[in-house]
Amino acid sequence: MDRQDGAPRGRSSHDREVPAAVAASFQEGWENTDLKLPRSSGTEGAASRRAALSERFPGERIVVPSGGLKTRSNDFDYPFRPHSAFLHLTADRATQAVPDSVLVLEPTGHGHTAVLFTRGRSPRDGGPNGAEFYSDRRHGEFWTGRRRTLAETADALGLEVAPRDRLEQALAGGVPTRVLRGEDARVDALVPEKPSAEAELATFLSESRLVKDEWEIAQLRAAVGFTVAGFHDVAADLPRATELARGERWIEGTFNRRARLEGYGLGFDTIAAAGAHACVLHWMRNDGPVRPGDLLLLDAGVEADSCYTGDVTRTLPVGGRFTDVQRRVYDLVFAAQSAGIAALRPGAPFGDFHEAAMRVIAEGLDAWGLRPTSDPATTPAPDRYRRYTLCGSGHMLGLDCHDCASARTEAYLGGALEPGHVLTVEPGLYFQPDDLTVPEELRGIGIRIEDDFVITTDGAECLSSALPRQPDAVEAWTSSLR
Ligand code: GLY
Ligand code: MN
């Protein structure tokens, strides 16, 4: 069975037969319950995003699946997380969203009608699917929890709703159709592929997420607030982490507990990198010790129930004090980040904050007597020390940590900042432990400082300012908790 097609999960080897008399007894004696769900906040914004999509593709049918369950192993799936484009157009919550849902914008004489094809409750009427609720470990409500009725979904999202099994019929006919392909195998099979038209749709959906509305900014503010709380949890837990062979895992667990408590979970797997592990940009193995003289680089983000996420990094002295050389590197990254932050304003080219940060790094490393790692005559200034800075200094943030990934260069990397853009500023210096081009005392030091910003009409607001960033403040914070 294709485990990504939303089909019911068959019986597992350890599942017992349900005798006919028992099956019959399951069909009666249930009360009708009402979830009494409030209208999901943010649905007005989702409606105006659907209106913009309708305007962009007049006369065409637009199909945006939520995606489905993905097998982790054997008969267990990964937790379901709806596709970001689907969330952007429905404002559904991950805690309520139903795998294999599909949003269809059906063209009418003037614009489109939006219909959400989805699963309602597991039926208990003894019909063809009447055993699902207790026997289907993938979709049965006794296995995975109460779902909304179709009417409850319609009320919660302010959308017309239809049963998912009517989708095939709805996608038939000669209407020109664009699909967000690759998210739902059964939808993909129903609609002939049109690569360039579909790429155009994916680009539009991605670019329409660049500017956040007020509700989205409130979601991001909340997600960053939860993230900040997780960093405080970790700072308080540093002494315990130093007692354990896999202290990085303890740190990861501490942050992740906050993420599950406050949000749906993580925006990305937590990076808990102590010592030289901090030189690995996405160190997610997290199986190392956390030693008192080390730095701990924690790069983590809580994803709210709406799936908007924070993305923050702090590099903390585990013992509460930087060594002289750690402090020197921290000061330089701090100065670079500060220069990057100062370059954030509406109208500024997106590349400006990175260039400002890299200029400070280059001047600092020049002053330390390090040699540019690429020929200055032929390498653009921001890349001269790329061997130690490795990557760009920030990215758009939203429903995805690396948001708007299908936007065209001219709309994103080569575009200009606008009010409502939300982005990270996160320069770093990474001196690999085996890098013979740097003095020995620098080897194995990795430092990144990352904050989240919303561009305003006259500058930028830091969403993560509640977390100490300045080096003395970081020392005071971590040492006060010991
Ligand atoms: N926080 C992970 C990243 O930005 O790549
Ligand atoms: Mn980031």
Side-chain angles (χ1 to χ4, degrees):
M1 188 195 316
D2 177 357
R3 289 282 167 75
Q4 293 186 35
D5 68 358
R9 179 86 70 196
R11 272 179 61 216
S12 276
S13 50
H14 61 285
D15 283 341
R16 292 168 183 279
E17 289 281 359
V18 180
V22 174
S25 77
F26 266 114
Q27 305 296 340
E28 53 192 29
W30 307 111
E31 188 187 1
N32 260 336
T33 57
D34 181 354
L35 280 184
K36 295 192 176 59
L37 292 170
R39 169 68 56 89
S40 191
S41 73
T43 53
E44 297 83 4
S48 52
R49 297 191 274 275
R50 292 194 297 273
L53 181 59
S54 163
E55 204 168 309
R56 173 66 183 79
F57 298 107
E60 296 185 51
R61 182 184 286 152
I62 307 297
V63 184
V64 181
S66 70
L69 294 167
K70 296 186 174 65
T71 302
R72 180 182 180 276
S73 184
N74 185 29
D75 57 357
F76 279 94
D77 295 312
Y78 289 104
F80 176 56
R81 199 283 193 182
H83 192 280
S84 295
F86 176 87
L87 291 168
H88 196 232
L89 293 167
T90 60
D92 207 356
R93 298 294 183 278
T95 43
Q96 291 289 342
V98 176
D100 312 312
S101 298
V102 181
L103 178 70
V104 177
L105 266 63
E106 187 67 21
T108 59
H110 41 72
H112 290 77
T113 305
V115 183
L116 179 64
F117 291 84
T118 189
R119 233 182 237 108
R121 297 202 59 187
S122 295
R124 302 199 197 163
D125 57 6
N129 212 13
E132 174 194 286
F133 71 97
Y134 64 87
S135 68
D136 181 342
R137 53 180 61 237
R138 211 162 198 212
H139 302 298
E141 291 191 352
F142 284 7
W143 288 90
T144 62
R146 163 80 150 88
R147 279 192 300 273
R148 295 174 296 207
T149 62
L150 295 183
E152 284 165 346
T153 299
D155 285 349
L157 301 180
L159 265 173
E160 195 180 313
V161 171
R164 157 85 204 202
D165 54 20
R166 294 226 193 107
L167 183 66
E168 190 158 347
Q169 199 182 330
L171 295 187
V175 183
T177 302
R178 293 188 201 233
V179 172
L180 185 66
R181 193 167 291 274
E183 301 306 325
D184 187 319
R186 288 197 288 181
V187 170
D188 289 355
L190 290 171
V191 183
E193 208 169 340
K194 286 189 277 181
S196 71
E198 288 165 3
E200 212 175 11
L201 173 64
T203 299
F204 178 83
L205 292 173
S206 205
E207 291 182 4
S208 70
R209 283 165 39 201
L210 282 164
V211 173
K212 275 71 180 172
D213 67 22
E214 272 179 34
W215 178 81
E216 293 184 280
I217 290 168
Q219 293 304 309
L220 284 157
R221 205 181 287 284
V224 175
F226 303 149
T227 302
V228 165
F231 273 73
H232 282 298
D233 294 341
V234 165
D237 236 6
L238 282 175
R240 178 76 179 111
T242 60
E243 296 165 357
L244 302 163
R246 298 211 287 185
E248 290 176 344
R249 288 285 168 91
W250 187 261
I251 298 298
E252 175 187 331
T254 297
F255 186 85
N256 294 9
R257 182 175 65 241
R258 177 64 64 173
R260 286 293 283 168
L261 178 71
E262 310 270 19
Y264 189 55
L266 300 167
F268 53 93
D269 283 348
T270 295
I271 297 164
H277 289 159
C279 301
V280 180
L281 292 173
H282 283 180
W283 176 258
M284 291 166 172
R285 283 184 230 162
N286 301 346
D287 60 354
V290 177
R291 298 192 182 90
D294 279 349
L295 297 174
L296 172 77
L297 185 156
L298 177 68
D299 181 345
V302 177
E303 181 181 75
D305 286 347
S306 58
C307 290
Y308 288 81
T309 188
D311 178 13
V312 171
T313 306
R314 286 293 181 270
T315 308
L316 307 174
V318 174
R321 298 293 300 233
F322 293 109
T323 64
D324 288 349
V325 64
Q326 288 168 350
R327 172 73 186 235
R328 193 155 26 102
V329 182
Y330 191 99
D331 283 347
L332 183 52
V333 175
F334 176 75
Q337 195 207 19
S338 302
I341 294 166
L344 297 177
R345 67 179 70 87
F350 181 85
D352 272 13
F353 74 93
H354 173 62
E355 286 189 25
M358 291 302 102
R359 204 171 309 120
V360 171
I361 296 269
E363 284 164 12
L365 297 186
D366 285 344
W368 294 356
L370 266 64
R371 275 183 210 245
T373 58
S374 313
D375 181 1
T378 54
T379 314
D383 290 328
R384 277 186 205 145
Y385 285 103
R386 189 76 181 256
R387 182 182 175 109
Y388 313 132
T389 59
L390 298 180
C391 59
S393 299
H395 52 83
M396 296 294 183
L397 181 70
L399 281 162
D400 285 318
C401 172
H402 297 166
D403 211 31
C404 312
S406 299
R408 293 161 304 156
T409 303
E410 59 266 39
Y412 183 173
L413 209 55
L417 295 176
E418 283 181 47
H421 281 171
V422 176
L423 73 162
T424 69
V425 178
E426 51 173 312
L429 270 172
Y430 311 96
F431 298 114
Q432 304 299 326
D434 53 351
D435 191 337
L436 301 178
T437 69
V438 294
E440 204 170 338
E441 61 174 2
L442 291 178
R443 294 179 203 159
I445 294 180
I447 292 178
R448 174 162 69 252
I449 315 170
E450 176 177 31
D451 287 277
D452 303 336
F453 297 86
V454 56
I455 303 298
T456 59
T457 49
D458 58 358
E461 179 197 342
C462 182
L463 300 176
S464 42
S465 60
L467 221 42
R469 179 177 86 84
Q470 194 272 346
D472 288 335
V474 167
E475 283 194 337
W477 173 35
T478 45
S479 58
S480 73
L481 295 164
R482 298 199 66 78

